[in-house]
Amino acid sequence: MESIPISDPYVPRRYIVGFSREMASFKQWLTDPNPTTSLFDVSGIGGIGKTTLLLEMTKAASQAEVLTLWLDGQSELATSGAFLSGLGASLEIEYGRRREPGLPLLSFVIEELTRQRSVLLIDNCSRLAGIEGWLMSSFLPKLTDAGVLFVMASRGGLPLQWYTSPYWGHRIRAFPLSLLTREEVLDYLHRCGLDEMLRTEVAQKTKGLPLHLAMTVDVLHSKQSNPGASAGLDEIPGTLSADILREAASPDLFQALSVLSLLPAADQSTLNRLLDPPLDAAGYYALGNLSFVRRTAYGLTLHHVIAGLLRNDFAQRDAAQFQVRRQQVFQLLAEQFRHADTRQQRGIAAHIMELYREFLPSAHAYADFSTALSPGVHTPFRPEDLGSLQQLLAAAISPTNWQSELVHAKAYSALLDDIARHSPEGICVVRDDSGTPLAFCAGFWLHGSTLPMLDRYAPGILALLSDERVALRTLSRESADTLCVLLAAVDVRHPLYGPEELGALLMRQWLVEMTSGLRGIMFTADPQLNGLFQILGFQEMGHIKLNGTETEGELTRWELDFRHQTFDTWVKEVIRQTGPTGLTALMTRNESRAEMDGTAAKQILELLFRSEEMEQLPVVRKMGLRGTAVQTCVQNILTATEAGYPLTQLDQSILRAVYLQKDRNKNQLADDFHMSRTTFYRHTLQALDHMGHVLTRALSEVRG
């Protein structure tokens, strides 16, 4: 039997941060004039702070003069006898309560717990299964009307049968512990006396895991007291936390965790495409029961910080295998992206950018992608945001370059008002956990109604749109697919995040929005931004010289056009520019084995009735097929009664009209399909992409 551990002799003075929600609920129960018997289910990974929280609850209960007992589940949950013996010994040692001779131990414990308000804290409840039947049938029913609070801490939380119990389910409150926020980490480091410059670096590297944070501080204090020791901060990042996670899962599951860290979410079949040996149903179920794994509609997923730690560990343990697995995941996600809805596409795009974040700038004047900040769930601009955005813009004008180079500074406020009024969907907002805006960019979607306002605030832009102006003037708002960004600002005074971190977060979220088949246009004369846009795969589209604005000089027009290239093609281009030779070669090898894309399918369809010319196409020559065989295969696909997945009947109809019948122009075709020309163009690209998948399978069968 262990007495309540008031202090740990191996740990120096500790400062407690977080737990506000949990402690508020605990203190509310302590002060409730009519307390009911309840259960608090505390769960979380090793090192997240479960024991620390129970110790804080112990102190609060003692101060409230409430009977408080502590059990260690490692040794005192093996049998009902061990459980009762632990409670009996604790009552005697802590409170001097002795059992009368002949009184059964169960009766003694129940009598003492019902005598007054009581708190029973049980740490390490993972071994509860051995006695949970006895607890629910013989022990807890005797305390139904008593004022007893059970606080049960474990990695995976209480099993499902506790929550579905008609007697106890409604008495349980779940408290899954999360990682510390940046604010809580910095608060802790400040209390520990760390230098301000060191705090930021430690906060970034410890990722909010409490045990990792506390041990890092111990290491730094130790090294500061030993002048001959090296700083050692570079040795800390992934190893300690990955070891904790490895210990939290069985060895059989750790490989699955490593692969899961590369995916936004995965069901059993998706995981097994990347695992050798595959995970059976029992293993997948066990994986889902780990406290740091969450079940979603798309399969199992990891907290983004935990996933980052596991990825770092994977890359350090086996760099070559990590590159192979990451590239396999990339190909799999690129395939899923093509068939996903817009919301899923945003999630996949954000995940792939995080997966390859190392190839984005880590030291840039406007965007530092090295910090693993998550943009969270996208929330569109709301009218009530406008006041906060105006404040961000006003604060950013003077000390930084977070302003437009196209527009007079005096017109910024009016421009933002007009964008919010006439083109609110052109505002991209990054928020903190409470929903408060941290950064934004804003511009007009280009169509007939917005061109006059664009001309009013930045008249020189229209000169660079001369080739499109006529079409844009008659384009409806619903058909617009091009956003011209005019304003951007971040919270330059934020106490927790630097402007460059927020800049990277804003750029990531904006890029994710563009991936759904849109085009973004930006203008700048800033050499730093010109360099950033080039790295991020923007295309230089011309120059403009403006006089009388905040920047008198030549501005470059940059475009990122996802209407004419796929998201995965863009990612590959960014990696080719910034990645190592080995990774580029790996991607090239994988591309050679990849399915036929929409561009190749279009080339075949355009030459469908010229079989000899078709045979000269690289994709056809590579397969070693005759043009007539490919022609027959394509015609069969497009005229089949049931379209082969992922080709739809609409896809078939569009491709037949465009490439087989060829008796109408694009405007007529768009009208026939009840679409705008822009929408019809998007559907055609999607149909070609789907055709590439089906044609790959069909031609492979022809080759035998």
Side-chain angles (χ1 to χ4, degrees):
M1 168 64 205
E2 295 186 6
S3 60
I4 298 174
I6 298 299
S7 62
D8 187 338
Y10 301 101
V11 180
R13 177 172 173 76
R14 285 276 181 251
Y15 298 94
I16 306 299
V17 294
F19 303 139
S20 56
R21 178 177 68 105
E22 295 80 6
M23 289 304 298
S25 297
F26 184 72
K27 290 177 181 178
Q28 182 180 15
W29 187 90
L30 289 179
T31 57
D32 189 337
N34 298 298
T36 59
T37 295
S38 305
L39 288 83
F40 282 8
D41 180 14
V42 177
S43 62
I45 63 172
I48 200 71
K50 299 184 295 295
T51 301
T52 302
L53 172 60
L54 264 60
L55 288 171
E56 287 300 292
M57 290 178 170
T58 297
K59 294 177 185 177
S62 299
Q63 291 170 358
E65 298 183 346
V66 171
L67 179 74
T68 309
L69 305 177
W70 180 291
L71 287 181
D72 180 12
Q74 295 278 19
S75 58
E76 293 167 323
L77 291 181
T79 65
S80 58
F83 178 82
L84 291 173
S85 296
L87 290 177
S90 184
L91 285 166
E92 182 174 352
I93 294 170
E94 301 295 332
Y95 295 98
R97 311 278 179 85
R98 290 185 171 84
R99 179 165 54 108
E100 296 292 335
L103 180 65
L105 184 54
L106 175 60
S107 301
F108 168 68
V109 170
I110 295 299
E111 182 180 323
E112 293 298 325
L113 291 178
T114 55
R115 191 193 300 271
Q116 67 278 295
R117 188 190 308 250
S118 303
V119 173
L120 175 55
L121 304 110
I122 311 176
D123 201 6
N124 299 311
C125 279
S126 56
R127 299 187 178 182
L128 190 65
I131 65 167
E132 66 180 357
W134 172 81
L135 282 173
M136 297 182 77
S137 63
S138 302
F139 185 73
L140 291 175
K142 294 180 170 60
L143 297 170
T144 302
D145 299 322
V148 181
L149 175 62
F150 293 84
V151 183
M152 309 173 85
S154 62
R155 287 177 177 166
L158 288 173
L160 181 63
Q161 56 262 34
W162 286 78
Y163 284 90
T164 56
S165 166
Y167 300 105
W168 297 102
H170 66 284
R171 297 174 182 260
I172 302 174
R173 289 199 61 184
F175 292 101
L177 299 187
S178 59
L179 298 162
L180 297 176
T181 66
R182 177 72 70 90
E183 185 175 13
E184 290 169 337
V185 170
L186 291 176
D187 179 28
Y188 178 85
L189 295 172
H190 172 69
R191 295 188 191 187
C192 290
L194 259 64
D195 177 80
E196 185 174 357
M197 295 295 291
L198 196 56
R199 288 179 216 160
T200 302
E201 190 172 0
V202 172
Q204 291 178 356
K205 292 188 175 183
T206 54
K207 315 293 185 184
L209 185 64
L211 181 59
H212 191 180
L213 178 65
M215 295 184 72
T216 299
V217 171
D218 289 345
V219 170
L220 291 174
H221 280 317
S222 173
K223 291 184 179 297
Q224 286 177 353
S225 63
N226 181 9
S230 60
L233 199 56
D234 291 338
E235 302 171 6
I236 292 171
T239 307
L240 176 61
S241 296
D243 285 344
I244 293 172
L245 294 170
R246 187 181 290 105
E247 182 267 335
S250 69
D252 293 340
L253 294 183
F254 190 74
Q255 182 190 3
L257 279 175
S258 297
V259 170
L260 186 59
S261 73
L262 298 172
L263 293 157
D267 56 21
Q268 185 180 349
S269 62
T270 302
L271 268 179
N272 284 339
R273 289 177 64 176
L274 303 166
L275 285 174
D276 185 20
L279 203 62
D280 60 18
Y284 183 76
Y285 179 79
L287 190 67
N289 279 338
L290 293 172
S291 62
F292 47 89
V293 177
R294 187 166 55 90
R295 298 179 186 274
T296 73
Y298 306 108
L300 303 180
T301 187
L302 289 168
H303 187 286
H304 75 277
V305 175
I306 298 300
L309 295 173
L310 285 168
R311 283 195 298 270
N312 290 341
D313 174 71
F314 192 0
Q316 292 171 12
R317 280 188 292 110
D318 192 341
Q321 184 65 14
F322 173 77
Q323 298 286 15
V324 170
R325 283 284 183 266
R326 180 168 62 174
Q327 185 54 24
Q328 290 173 335
V329 166
F330 175 78
Q331 297 292 349
L332 187 152
L333 294 178
E335 177 184 326
Q336 292 180 355
F337 185 91
R338 299 184 187 106
H339 315 306
D341 59 33
T342 301
R343 182 177 181 183
Q344 288 175 289
Q345 285 184 334
R346 287 196 189 106
I348 292 172
H351 183 81
I352 289 178
M353 291 181 67
E354 177 61 23
L355 206 57
Y356 287 94
R357 181 165 49 85
E358 69 203 72
F359 302 106
L360 301 176
S362 59
H364 193 277
Y366 292 102
D368 180 357
F369 291 87
S370 62
T371 304
L373 299 180
S374 172
V377 178
H378 171 62
T379 304
F381 167 77
R382 302 175 297 218
E384 57 267 30
D385 295 328
L386 186 57
S388 298
L389 302 191
Q390 289 284 15
Q391 291 176 8
L392 291 182
L393 188 60
I397 291 173
S398 176
T400 75
N401 290 325
W402 285 100
Q403 72 257 11
S404 173
E405 300 167 275
L406 292 163
V407 184
H408 286 285
K410 293 180 180 179
Y412 290 168
S413 179
L415 171 59
L416 183 56
D417 284 343
D418 271 342
I419 292 174
R421 186 179 302 113
H422 300 287
S423 192
E425 64 277 11
I427 302 177
C428 177
V429 184
V430 172
R431 307 174 188 274
D432 63 15
D433 292 337
S434 67
T436 302
L438 296 174
F440 79 95
C441 63
F444 288 116
W445 286 100
L446 300 185
H447 52 82
S449 301
T450 58
L451 287 190
M453 285 179 283
L454 192 66
D455 194 32
R456 181 195 317 163
Y457 288 105
I461 290 180
L462 293 184
L464 278 180
L465 298 174
S466 57
D467 56 332
E468 300 180 66
R469 240 186 314 186
V470 175
L472 288 173
R473 288 193 188 283
T474 59
L475 189 67
S476 68
R477 176 174 183 165
E478 293 73 25
S479 301
D481 60 10
T482 299
L483 176 66
C484 182
V485 177
L486 297 175
L487 295 172
V490 303
D491 187 349
V492 295
R493 299 172 181 172
H494 200 281
L496 306 179
Y497 304 110
E500 298 81 12
E501 290 181 291
L502 295 178
L505 203 58
L506 175 62
M507 180 60 76
R508 281 181 59 190
Q509 186 153 302
W510 183 84
L511 288 169
V512 166
E513 291 301 302
M514 291 295 105
T515 59
S516 58
L518 305 171
R519 174 176 62 157
I521 301 178
M522 295 191 181
F523 297 85
T524 186
D526 188 321
Q528 293 275 1
L529 278 177
N530 281 327
L532 177 63
F533 291 153
Q534 186 172 13
I535 292 172
L536 292 177
F538 284 73
Q539 299 298 310
E540 185 178 326
M541 303 297 290
H543 303 273
I544 183 173
K545 191 172 182 64
L546 293 181
N547 297 318
T549 61
E550 295 302 304
T551 300
E552 294 191 6
E554 190 174 66
L555 279 75
T556 304
R557 171 185 172 182
W558 294 94
E559 285 191 7
L560 187 60
D561 194 348
F562 285 110
R563 303 173 310 170
H564 301 301
Q565 71 171 336
T566 60
F567 173 68
D568 51 305
T569 300
W570 171 73
V571 172
K572 292 171 187 173
E573 183 58 32
V574 172
I575 293 173
R576 283 193 181 96
Q577 294 184 74
T578 59
T581 304
L583 179 59
T584 302
L586 175 64
M587 297 193 81
T588 303
R589 288 198 303 273
N590 281 327
E591 284 174 8
S592 67
R593 296 191 295 266
E595 294 182 338
M596 186 184 301
D597 61 14
T599 301
K602 181 181 179 183
Q603 291 172 341
I604 289 175
L605 287 166
E606 288 174 337
L607 298 175
L608 187 60
F609 300 106
R610 303 199 295 274
S611 57
E612 291 184 1
E613 293 181 47
M614 187 200 300
E615 287 178 7
Q616 302 308 310
L617 291 174
V619 65
V620 177
R621 292 174 61 186
K622 183 177 178 180
M623 290 186 171
L625 294 172
R626 298 296 299 272
T628 52
V630 177
Q631 182 186 71
T632 301
C633 195
V634 171
Q635 289 177 316
N636 290 339
I637 291 171
L638 292 183
T639 57
T641 305
E642 293 186 7
Y645 180 83
L647 202 68
T648 66
Q649 290 185 338
L650 177 61
D651 293 336
Q652 286 177 307
S653 299
I654 289 175
L655 295 179
R656 284 198 303 266
V658 175
Y659 296 103
L660 296 187
Q661 298 159 359
K662 297 194 290 188
D663 57 352
R664 288 159 289 177
N665 62 36
K666 295 293 175 61
N667 288 330
Q668 291 171 326
L669 287 169
D671 290 339
D672 288 345
F673 283 93
H674 307 290
M675 302 177 187
S676 68
R677 177 164 176 155
T678 304
T679 303
F680 180 74
Y681 178 75
R682 289 183 194 164
H683 275 283
T684 304
L685 288 180
Q686 184 181 57
L688 287 168
D689 200 31
H690 293 170
M691 182 68 180
H693 285 269
V694 178
L695 195 52
T696 298
R697 295 196 300 269
L699 293 178
S700 296
E701 292 174 3
V702 171
R703 284 198 310 173

